[in-house]
Amino acid sequence: MLRRSEADVLVAYLPVGSDKAQKYYAAAALEPASAFVNAIPVFIASNPEWAQRFTDAAFRSSVTT
């Protein structure tokens, strides 16, 4: 859906306690290399593994565009 809509940004604003769903949407933003805005208090960007995944996705995007 993100690729089809050519979304540049995914804003995920889910109810508090939706950790699994928030991580699902974070992962979904990686494939088309969309920016991801985490609008709930789930630690994604501060997690080294997630930070690296987004860094790698941004690098792939800048190389192919």
Side-chain angles (χ1 to χ4, degrees):
M1 177 67 116
L2 290 172
R3 188 179 305 280
R4 225 176 328 142
S5 69
E6 298 180 11
D8 292 322
V9 179
L10 169 62
V11 178
Y13 185 62
L14 300 172
V16 172
S18 303
D19 296 17
K20 274 178 95 171
Q22 196 73 342
K23 290 175 182 172
Y24 171 84
Y25 285 109
L30 288 169
E31 186 163 327
S34 297
F36 177 72
V37 178
N38 178 18
I40 69 170
V42 172
F43 298 107
I44 294 178
S46 62
N47 176 303
E49 179 183 331
W50 279 101
Q52 188 61 53
R53 289 176 71 181
F54 274 93
T55 298
D56 293 346
F59 179 72
R60 282 195 313 268
S61 176
S62 66
V63 169
T64 59
T65 57

